[in-house]
Amino acid sequence: AFLKNVATVHTVKDEFQAESTHGLIELNATNVPAHVKHMPLCMAQLQLALQKEKHLKHWGRLQYGLFLKGAGLSLDDALTYFER
């Protein structure tokens, strides 16, 4: 049953791209926090922790970075985002 549903599941990148085609701003280093309402709860919590603490532990940063990559954030934007 799981394998049958895999092909029909949408990805986060699809969701962000669909919004950008409707006139909303694409994901970049300056507007990541503005997209927190569209993130899964676990990723939203990482974003809020990053805003509050200005730091994520290694595994949190790895997971959040991979999530943002999947959402369409470019490498240059990701480097810029995590440097601040």
Side-chain angles (χ1 to χ4, degrees):
F2 174 75
L3 293 177
K4 290 179 183 178
N5 293 331
V6 170
T8 61
V9 176
H10 74 281
T11 63
V12 174
K13 187 174 184 178
D14 294 337
E15 185 175 322
F16 281 107
Q17 286 176 342
E19 290 176 6
S20 66
T21 60
H22 296 326
L24 296 179
I25 300 171
E26 291 186 21
L27 189 64
N28 60 42
T30 58
N31 68 4
V32 170
H35 290 284
V36 75
K37 65 183 175 213
H38 302 291
M39 295 179 185
L41 183 59
C42 55
M43 295 298 124
Q45 290 298 320
L46 288 174
Q47 172 60 39
L48 295 174
L50 184 60
Q51 286 175 327
K52 182 180 176 186
E53 305 287 331
K54 304 288 185 204
H55 175 77
L56 287 177
K57 291 186 178 184
H58 173 75
W59 294 114
R61 183 176 293 266
L62 180 66
Q63 285 295 320
Y64 194 49
L66 289 173
F67 168 76
L68 292 175
K69 178 182 176 185
L73 189 67
S74 70
L75 178 61
D76 292 333
D77 282 338
L79 290 173
T80 303
Y81 181 69
F82 281 113
E83 283 176 352
R84 5 177 225 139

Coordinates of all heavy atoms in Angstrom, one line a residue:
A1 N 0.8 -1.2 0.0 CA 0.0 0.0 0.0 C 0.9 1.3 0.0 O 0.6 2.2 -0.7 CB -0.9 0.0 1.2
F2 N 1.9 1.2 0.8 CA 2.8 2.4 0.9 C 3.5 2.7 -0.5 O 3.5 3.9 -0.9 CB 3.9 2.2 1.9 CG 4.9 3.3 1.9 CD1 4.6 4.5 2.5 CD2 6.2 3.1 1.4 CE1 5.6 5.5 2.5 CE2 7.1 4.1 1.4 CZ 6.8 5.3 1.9
L3 N 4.0 1.7 -1.2 CA 4.6 1.9 -2.5 C 3.7 2.4 -3.5 O 4.1 3.2 -4.4 CB 5.3 0.6 -2.9 CG 6.5 0.1 -2.1 CD1 7.0 -1.2 -2.6 CD2 7.6 1.2 -2.0
K4 N 2.4 2.1 -3.5 CA 1.4 2.6 -4.4 C 1.2 4.1 -4.2 O 0.9 4.8 -5.2 CB 0.1 1.8 -4.3 CG 0.2 0.4 -4.8 CD -1.2 -0.2 -4.6 CE -1.1 -1.7 -5.0 NZ -2.4 -2.4 -4.8
N5 N 1.3 4.6 -3.0 CA 1.0 6.0 -2.7 C 2.2 6.9 -2.9 O 2.1 8.1 -2.9 CB 0.6 6.1 -1.2 CG -0.8 5.5 -1.0 OD1 -1.6 5.4 -1.9 ND2 -1.1 5.0 0.2
V6 N 3.4 6.3 -3.0 CA 4.6 7.1 -3.1 C 4.6 8.0 -4.3 O 5.0 9.1 -4.3 CB 5.9 6.2 -3.1 CG1 7.1 7.0 -3.5 CG2 6.1 5.5 -1.8
A7 N 4.1 7.5 -5.4 CA 4.0 8.2 -6.7 C 3.1 9.4 -6.6 O 3.2 10.4 -7.3 CB 3.7 7.3 -7.8
T8 N 2.1 9.3 -5.7 CA 1.1 10.4 -5.7 C 1.3 11.4 -4.6 O 0.6 12.4 -4.5 CB -0.3 9.8 -5.4 OG1 -0.3 9.1 -4.1 CG2 -0.7 8.8 -6.5
V9 N 2.3 11.2 -3.8 CA 2.6 12.1 -2.7 C 3.4 13.3 -3.3 O 4.3 13.2 -4.0 CB 3.5 11.5 -1.6 CG1 3.9 12.4 -0.5 CG2 2.7 10.3 -1.0
H10 N 3.0 14.5 -2.9 CA 3.7 15.7 -3.4 C 4.8 16.1 -2.5 O 4.9 15.7 -1.3 CB 2.7 16.9 -3.5 CG 2.4 17.5 -2.2 ND1 1.4 17.0 -1.4 CD2 2.9 18.6 -1.6 CE1 1.3 17.7 -0.3 NE2 2.2 18.7 -0.4
T11 N 5.8 16.7 -3.0 CA 7.0 17.1 -2.2 C 6.9 18.5 -1.8 O 6.1 19.3 -2.3 CB 8.3 16.9 -3.0 OG1 8.2 17.8 -4.2 CG2 8.4 15.5 -3.5
V12 N 7.7 18.9 -0.9 CA 7.7 20.3 -0.4 C 8.1 21.2 -1.5 O 7.5 22.3 -1.6 CB 8.7 20.4 0.8 CG1 8.8 21.9 1.2 CG2 8.2 19.6 2.0
K13 N 9.0 20.8 -2.3 CA 9.5 21.7 -3.4 C 8.3 22.0 -4.4 O 8.1 23.1 -4.8 CB 10.6 21.0 -4.2 CG 11.2 21.9 -5.3 CD 12.4 21.2 -5.9 CE 13.1 22.1 -6.9 NZ 14.3 21.5 -7.4
D14 N 7.5 21.0 -4.6 CA 6.3 21.2 -5.5 C 5.4 22.3 -4.9 O 4.8 23.1 -5.5 CB 5.5 19.9 -5.7 CG 6.3 18.9 -6.4 OD1 7.2 19.3 -7.2 OD2 5.9 17.7 -6.3
E15 N 5.2 22.2 -3.5 CA 4.3 23.2 -2.9 C 4.9 24.6 -3.0 O 4.1 25.5 -3.3 CB 4.2 22.8 -1.4 CG 3.2 23.6 -0.6 CD 3.0 23.1 0.8 OE1 3.0 21.9 1.0 OE2 2.9 24.0 1.7
F16 N 6.2 24.8 -2.8 CA 6.8 26.1 -2.9 C 6.7 26.6 -4.3 O 6.5 27.7 -4.6 CB 8.2 26.1 -2.3 CG 8.3 26.1 -0.9 CD1 8.7 25.0 -0.1 CD2 8.0 27.3 -0.2 CE1 8.7 25.1 1.2 CE2 8.0 27.3 1.2 CZ 8.4 26.2 1.9
Q17 N 7.0 25.7 -5.3 CA 6.9 26.1 -6.7 C 5.5 26.5 -7.1 O 5.3 27.4 -7.9 CB 7.5 25.0 -7.6 CG 9.0 24.9 -7.5 CD 9.6 23.7 -8.3 OE1 8.8 22.8 -8.7 NE2 10.8 23.8 -8.5
A18 N 4.6 25.7 -6.6 CA 3.2 26.0 -7.0 C 2.8 27.4 -6.5 O 2.1 28.2 -7.2 CB 2.2 25.0 -6.4
E19 N 3.3 27.8 -5.3 CA 3.0 29.1 -4.8 C 3.7 30.2 -5.6 O 3.1 31.2 -5.9 CB 3.4 29.2 -3.3 CG 2.5 28.4 -2.4 CD 3.0 28.4 -1.0 OE1 4.0 29.2 -0.7 OE2 2.5 27.7 -0.2
S20 N 4.9 29.9 -6.0 CA 5.6 30.9 -6.8 C 5.0 31.2 -8.1 O 5.1 32.2 -8.7 CB 7.1 30.5 -6.9 OG 7.2 29.4 -7.7
T21 N 4.3 30.2 -8.7 CA 3.7 30.4 -10.0 C 2.4 31.2 -9.8 O 1.9 31.7 -10.8 CB 3.3 29.0 -10.7 OG1 2.5 28.3 -9.8 CG2 4.6 28.3 -11.0
H22 N 1.9 31.3 -8.6 CA 0.7 32.1 -8.3 C 1.1 33.5 -7.9 O 0.2 34.2 -7.4 CB -0.2 31.4 -7.3 CG -0.7 30.1 -7.6 ND1 -1.1 29.8 -8.9 CD2 -0.9 29.0 -6.9 CE1 -1.5 28.5 -8.9 NE2 -1.4 28.0 -7.7
G23 N 2.3 33.9 -8.2 CA 2.7 35.3 -7.9 C 3.3 35.5 -6.6 O 3.7 36.6 -6.3
L24 N 3.5 34.5 -5.8 CA 4.2 34.7 -4.5 C 5.7 34.6 -4.7 O 6.2 34.1 -5.7 CB 3.8 33.6 -3.5 CG 2.3 33.7 -3.1 CD1 2.0 32.6 -2.1 CD2 2.0 35.0 -2.5
I25 N 6.5 35.1 -3.8 CA 7.9 35.2 -3.9 C 8.6 33.8 -3.7 O 8.1 33.0 -2.9 CB 8.5 36.2 -2.8 CG1 7.9 37.5 -3.0 CG2 10.0 36.2 -2.9 CD1 8.2 38.5 -1.9
E26 N 9.6 33.5 -4.5 CA 10.3 32.3 -4.4 C 11.2 32.2 -3.2 O 11.5 33.3 -2.6 CB 11.1 32.0 -5.7 CG 10.3 31.8 -6.9 CD 11.1 31.4 -8.1 OE1 12.3 31.0 -7.9 OE2 10.6 31.6 -9.2
L27 N 11.5 31.0 -2.7 CA 12.3 30.8 -1.6 C 13.7 31.3 -1.8 O 14.4 30.9 -2.8 CB 12.3 29.3 -1.2 CG 12.9 29.0 0.2 CD1 12.1 29.6 1.3 CD2 12.9 27.4 0.3
N28 N 14.2 32.2 -0.9 CA 15.6 32.6 -1.0 C 16.1 32.9 0.4 O 15.4 32.7 1.4 CB 15.8 33.8 -1.9 CG 15.0 35.0 -1.5 OD1 15.0 35.3 -0.3 ND2 14.4 35.7 -2.4
A29 N 17.4 33.3 0.5 CA 18.0 33.5 1.9 C 17.3 34.5 2.7 O 17.3 34.4 3.9 CB 19.5 33.8 1.7
T30 N 16.6 35.5 2.1 CA 16.0 36.6 2.9 C 14.6 36.3 3.3 O 14.1 36.9 4.3 CB 16.1 37.9 2.1 OG1 15.4 37.7 0.9 CG2 17.5 38.4 1.8
N31 N 13.9 35.4 2.6 CA 12.5 35.2 3.0 C 12.2 33.8 3.5 O 11.0 33.4 3.6 CB 11.6 35.5 1.8 CG 11.8 34.5 0.7 OD1 12.5 33.5 0.8 ND2 11.1 34.8 -0.4
V32 N 13.2 33.0 4.0 CA 12.9 31.7 4.6 C 11.9 31.8 5.7 O 10.9 31.1 5.8 CB 14.2 31.0 5.0 CG1 13.9 29.7 5.8 CG2 15.0 30.6 3.7
P33 N 12.1 32.7 6.7 CA 11.2 32.8 7.8 C 9.7 33.1 7.4 O 8.8 32.7 8.1 CB 11.7 33.9 8.7 CG 13.2 34.0 8.4 CD 13.2 33.6 6.9
A34 N 9.5 33.8 6.3 CA 8.2 34.1 5.8 C 7.4 32.8 5.4 O 6.2 32.8 5.3 CB 8.2 35.1 4.7
H35 N 8.1 31.8 5.1 CA 7.5 30.5 4.6 C 7.3 29.5 5.8 O 6.9 28.4 5.5 CB 8.4 29.9 3.5 CG 8.4 30.6 2.3 ND1 7.3 30.6 1.4 CD2 9.3 31.4 1.7 CE1 7.6 31.3 0.3 NE2 8.8 31.9 0.5
V36 N 7.5 29.9 7.0 CA 7.3 29.0 8.1 C 5.9 28.4 8.2 O 5.8 27.3 8.6 CB 7.8 29.7 9.4 CG1 6.8 30.6 9.9 CG2 8.1 28.6 10.5
K37 N 4.9 29.2 7.8 CA 3.5 28.6 7.9 C 3.3 27.5 6.9 O 2.3 26.8 7.1 CB 2.5 29.8 7.7 CG 2.6 30.4 6.3 CD 1.7 31.5 6.2 CE 1.9 32.2 4.8 NZ 1.7 33.6 4.8
H38 N 4.2 27.3 5.9 CA 4.0 26.3 4.9 C 4.9 25.0 5.3 O 4.8 24.1 4.5 CB 4.4 26.8 3.5 CG 3.5 27.9 3.1 ND1 2.2 27.8 2.8 CD2 3.9 29.2 2.9 CE1 1.7 29.0 2.5 NE2 2.7 29.9 2.5
M39 N 5.7 25.1 6.3 CA 6.6 24.0 6.6 C 5.9 23.0 7.5 O 5.0 23.4 8.3 CB 7.8 24.6 7.4 CG 8.6 25.5 6.6 SD 10.0 26.2 7.6 CE 10.7 27.3 6.5
P40 N 6.4 21.8 7.5 CA 5.9 20.8 8.5 C 6.3 21.3 9.9 O 7.2 22.1 10.1 CB 6.7 19.5 8.1 CG 7.2 19.7 6.8 CD 7.3 21.2 6.6
L41 N 5.5 20.9 10.9 CA 5.7 21.4 12.2 C 7.2 21.2 12.7 O 7.7 22.1 13.4 CB 4.7 20.7 13.2 CG 4.8 21.1 14.6 CD1 4.5 22.6 14.7 CD2 3.8 20.3 15.5
C42 N 7.8 20.0 12.4 CA 9.1 19.8 12.9 C 10.1 20.8 12.3 O 11.0 21.3 13.0 CB 9.6 18.3 12.6 SG 9.4 17.9 10.9
M43 N 10.0 21.1 11.0 CA 10.8 22.1 10.4 C 10.5 23.5 10.9 O 11.4 24.3 11.0 CB 10.7 22.0 8.9 CG 11.2 20.7 8.3 SD 12.9 20.4 8.6 CE 12.9 18.9 9.4
A44 N 9.3 23.8 11.1 CA 8.9 25.1 11.7 C 9.5 25.3 13.0 O 10.0 26.4 13.4 CB 7.4 25.3 11.7
Q45 N 9.6 24.2 13.8 CA 10.2 24.3 15.2 C 11.7 24.6 15.1 O 12.3 25.3 15.9 CB 9.9 23.0 16.0 CG 8.5 22.9 16.4 CD 8.0 24.0 17.3 OE1 8.8 24.4 18.2 NE2 6.8 24.5 17.1
L46 N 12.3 24.0 14.1 CA 13.8 24.2 13.9 C 14.0 25.7 13.4 O 14.9 26.3 13.9 CB 14.3 23.3 12.8 CG 14.5 21.8 13.2 CD1 15.0 21.0 12.1 CD2 15.5 21.7 14.4
Q47 N 13.1 26.2 12.6 CA 13.2 27.6 12.2 C 13.0 28.5 13.4 O 13.8 29.5 13.5 CB 12.2 27.9 11.1 CG 12.1 29.4 10.7 CD 13.3 30.0 10.2 OE1 14.1 29.3 9.5 NE2 13.6 31.2 10.6
L48 N 12.1 28.3 14.2 CA 11.8 29.1 15.4 C 13.0 29.0 16.4 O 13.4 30.0 16.9 CB 10.5 28.7 16.0 CG 9.3 29.0 15.2 CD1 8.0 28.4 15.9 CD2 9.1 30.4 14.9
A49 N 13.5 27.8 16.5 CA 14.7 27.7 17.4 C 15.9 28.4 16.9 O 16.7 29.0 17.6 CB 15.0 26.2 17.6
L50 N 16.1 28.4 15.6 CA 17.2 29.1 14.9 C 17.0 30.6 15.1 O 18.0 31.3 15.4 CB 17.3 28.7 13.4 CG 18.4 29.3 12.6 CD1 19.8 28.8 13.2 CD2 18.3 28.9 11.2
Q51 N 15.8 31.1 15.0 CA 15.6 32.5 15.2 C 15.8 32.9 16.6 O 16.4 34.0 16.9 CB 14.1 32.9 14.8 CG 13.9 32.9 13.3 CD 12.4 33.2 13.0 OE1 11.5 32.7 13.7 NE2 12.2 33.8 11.9
K52 N 15.4 32.1 17.6 CA 15.5 32.4 19.0 C 17.0 32.3 19.5 O 17.5 33.2 20.1 CB 14.6 31.5 19.8 CG 14.6 31.8 21.2 CD 13.6 30.9 22.0 CE 13.7 31.1 23.5 NZ 12.9 30.1 24.2
E53 N 17.6 31.1 19.2 CA 18.9 30.8 19.7 C 20.1 31.2 18.9 O 21.2 31.3 19.3 CB 19.0 29.3 20.0 CG 17.9 28.7 20.8 CD 18.0 29.1 22.3 OE1 19.2 29.3 22.7 OE2 17.0 29.1 23.0
K54 N 19.8 31.5 17.6 CA 20.8 31.8 16.6 C 21.8 30.7 16.4 O 22.9 30.9 16.0 CB 21.6 33.1 17.0 CG 20.7 34.3 17.2 CD 20.2 34.8 15.9 CE 19.5 36.1 16.1 NZ 18.5 36.4 15.1
H55 N 21.3 29.5 16.7 CA 22.2 28.3 16.6 C 21.3 27.0 16.5 O 20.3 27.0 17.2 CB 23.1 28.2 17.8 CG 23.9 27.0 17.9 ND1 25.1 26.8 17.1 CD2 23.8 25.9 18.6 CE1 25.6 25.6 17.4 NE2 24.9 25.0 18.3
L56 N 21.8 26.1 15.7 CA 21.2 24.7 15.8 C 22.3 23.7 16.0 O 23.4 23.9 15.5 CB 20.5 24.4 14.4 CG 19.1 25.1 14.1 CD1 18.7 24.7 12.7 CD2 18.1 24.7 15.2
K57 N 22.0 22.7 16.7 CA 23.0 21.6 16.8 C 23.2 20.9 15.4 O 22.4 21.1 14.5 CB 22.5 20.6 17.8 CG 22.6 21.2 19.2 CD 22.3 20.1 20.3 CE 22.3 20.7 21.6 NZ 22.1 19.7 22.7
H58 N 24.2 20.1 15.3 CA 24.7 19.6 14.0 C 23.5 18.9 13.3 O 23.2 19.1 12.1 CB 25.8 18.6 14.3 CG 26.2 17.9 13.0 ND1 26.9 18.4 12.0 CD2 25.9 16.6 12.6 CE1 27.1 17.6 11.0 NE2 26.5 16.4 11.4
W59 N 22.8 17.9 14.0 CA 21.8 17.2 13.3 C 20.6 18.0 12.9 O 20.0 17.8 11.9 CB 21.4 15.9 14.1 CG 22.5 15.0 14.3 CD1 23.2 14.6 15.4 CD2 23.1 14.2 13.2 NE1 24.2 13.7 15.1 CE2 24.2 13.5 13.8 CE3 23.0 14.1 11.8 CZ2 25.0 12.6 13.1 CZ3 23.8 13.3 11.1 CH2 24.8 12.5 11.7
G60 N 20.3 19.0 13.8 CA 19.2 19.9 13.4 C 19.5 20.7 12.2 O 18.7 20.9 11.3
R61 N 20.7 21.2 12.2 CA 21.2 22.0 11.0 C 21.2 21.2 9.7 O 20.8 21.6 8.7 CB 22.6 22.6 11.3 CG 23.1 23.5 10.2 CD 24.4 24.1 10.6 NE 24.3 25.1 11.7 CZ 24.1 26.4 11.5 NH1 24.0 26.9 10.3 NH2 24.0 27.2 12.5
L62 N 21.7 19.9 9.9 CA 21.7 19.0 8.7 C 20.3 18.8 8.2 O 20.0 18.9 7.0 CB 22.4 17.7 9.1 CG 22.5 16.7 8.0 CD1 23.4 17.1 6.9 CD2 23.0 15.4 8.6
Q63 N 19.4 18.4 9.1 CA 18.0 18.1 8.7 C 17.3 19.4 8.1 O 16.7 19.3 7.0 CB 17.1 17.7 9.9 CG 17.4 16.3 10.3 CD 17.1 15.3 9.2 OE1 16.0 15.4 8.6 NE2 17.9 14.3 9.0
Y64 N 17.5 20.5 8.7 CA 16.9 21.7 8.2 C 17.5 22.2 6.9 O 16.8 22.6 6.0 CB 17.0 22.9 9.2 CG 16.1 24.0 9.0 CD1 14.8 23.9 8.7 CD2 16.6 25.3 9.0 CE1 14.0 24.9 8.4 CE2 15.8 26.4 8.7 CZ 14.5 26.2 8.5 OH 13.7 27.3 8.2
G65 N 18.8 22.0 6.7 CA 19.5 22.3 5.5 C 19.0 21.4 4.3 O 18.7 21.9 3.2
L66 N 18.8 20.2 4.6 CA 18.3 19.2 3.6 C 16.9 19.6 3.2 O 16.5 19.5 2.1 CB 18.5 17.8 4.0 CG 19.9 17.3 4.1 CD1 19.9 15.9 4.7 CD2 20.5 17.3 2.7
F67 N 16.1 19.9 4.2 CA 14.7 20.3 4.0 C 14.6 21.6 3.0 O 13.9 21.6 2.1 CB 14.0 20.6 5.3 CG 12.6 21.3 5.1 CD1 11.6 20.6 4.6 CD2 12.5 22.6 5.3 CE1 10.3 21.2 4.4 CE2 11.3 23.3 5.1 CZ 10.2 22.5 4.7
L68 N 15.5 22.6 3.4 CA 15.5 23.8 2.5 C 16.0 23.5 1.1 O 15.5 24.1 0.2 CB 16.3 24.9 3.2 CG 15.7 25.4 4.5 CD1 16.7 26.4 5.2 CD2 14.4 26.1 4.3
K69 N 16.9 22.6 1.0 CA 17.4 22.2 -0.3 C 16.3 21.6 -1.1 O 16.1 21.9 -2.3 CB 18.6 21.2 -0.2 CG 19.1 20.7 -1.5 CD 20.2 19.7 -1.3 CE 20.7 19.2 -2.6 NZ 21.7 18.1 -2.4
G70 N 15.5 20.7 -0.5 CA 14.4 20.1 -1.1 C 13.3 21.0 -1.5 O 12.5 20.8 -2.4
A71 N 13.2 22.1 -0.7 CA 12.2 23.1 -1.0 C 12.6 24.1 -2.1 O 11.8 24.9 -2.5 CB 11.9 23.9 0.3
G72 N 13.8 24.0 -2.5 CA 14.3 24.8 -3.7 C 15.2 25.9 -3.3 O 15.5 26.7 -4.2
L73 N 15.7 25.9 -2.1 CA 16.7 27.0 -1.8 C 18.1 26.6 -2.4 O 18.6 25.5 -2.3 CB 16.9 27.0 -0.2 CG 17.7 28.2 0.3 CD1 17.0 29.5 0.1 CD2 17.9 28.0 1.8
S74 N 18.6 27.6 -3.1 CA 19.9 27.3 -3.8 C 21.0 27.2 -2.8 O 20.9 27.6 -1.7 CB 20.2 28.4 -4.8 OG 20.5 29.6 -4.1
L75 N 22.2 26.6 -3.3 CA 23.3 26.5 -2.4 C 23.8 27.8 -1.9 O 24.1 28.0 -0.8 CB 24.4 25.7 -3.1 CG 25.7 25.5 -2.3 CD1 25.5 24.7 -1.1 CD2 26.7 24.8 -3.2
D76 N 23.9 28.8 -2.8 CA 24.4 30.1 -2.5 C 23.5 30.7 -1.4 O 24.0 31.4 -0.5 CB 24.5 31.0 -3.7 CG 25.6 30.6 -4.6 OD1 26.6 30.0 -4.1 OD2 25.5 30.8 -5.8
D77 N 22.2 30.6 -1.6 CA 21.2 31.2 -0.7 C 21.3 30.4 0.7 O 21.2 31.1 1.7 CB 19.8 31.1 -1.2 CG 19.5 32.2 -2.2 OD1 20.2 33.2 -2.2 OD2 18.6 32.0 -3.0
A78 N 21.5 29.1 0.7 CA 21.6 28.4 1.9 C 22.9 28.8 2.7 O 22.8 29.0 3.9 CB 21.7 26.9 1.6
L79 N 24.0 29.0 2.0 CA 25.2 29.5 2.7 C 25.0 30.8 3.3 O 25.4 31.1 4.4 CB 26.4 29.5 1.7 CG 26.9 28.1 1.2 CD1 27.9 28.2 0.1 CD2 27.4 27.3 2.4
T80 N 24.4 31.7 2.5 CA 24.1 33.1 3.0 C 23.1 33.0 4.2 O 23.4 33.7 5.2 CB 23.4 33.9 1.9 OG1 24.3 34.0 0.8 CG2 23.1 35.3 2.4
Y81 N 22.1 32.2 4.1 CA 21.1 32.1 5.2 C 21.8 31.6 6.5 O 21.5 32.1 7.6 CB 20.0 31.1 4.8 CG 18.9 31.0 5.8 CD1 18.1 32.0 6.2 CD2 18.8 29.8 6.6 CE1 17.2 31.9 7.1 CE2 17.9 29.7 7.5 CZ 17.0 30.8 7.8 OH 16.1 30.6 8.8
F82 N 22.6 30.5 6.4 CA 23.2 30.0 7.6 C 24.4 30.8 8.2 O 24.8 30.6 9.3 CB 23.6 28.5 7.4 CG 22.4 27.6 7.5 CD1 22.0 26.9 6.3 CD2 21.7 27.4 8.6 CE1 20.9 26.0 6.4 CE2 20.6 26.5 8.7 CZ 20.2 25.8 7.6
E83 N 24.9 31.7 7.4 CA 26.0 32.5 7.9 C 25.5 33.6 8.8 O 26.3 34.1 9.6 CB 26.8 33.1 6.7 CG 27.7 32.1 6.0 CD 28.4 32.7 4.8 OE1 28.0 33.9 4.4 OE2 29.3 32.1 4.2
R84 N 24.3 34.0 8.7 CA 23.8 35.1 9.5 C 23.4 34.6 10.9 O 23.4 33.8 11.5 CB 22.7 35.9 9.0 CG 22.0 35.5 7.7 CD 20.9 36.3 7.4 NE 19.8 35.4 7.0 CZ 18.6 35.5 7.3 NH1 18.2 36.4 8.0 NH2 17.7 34.6 6.9

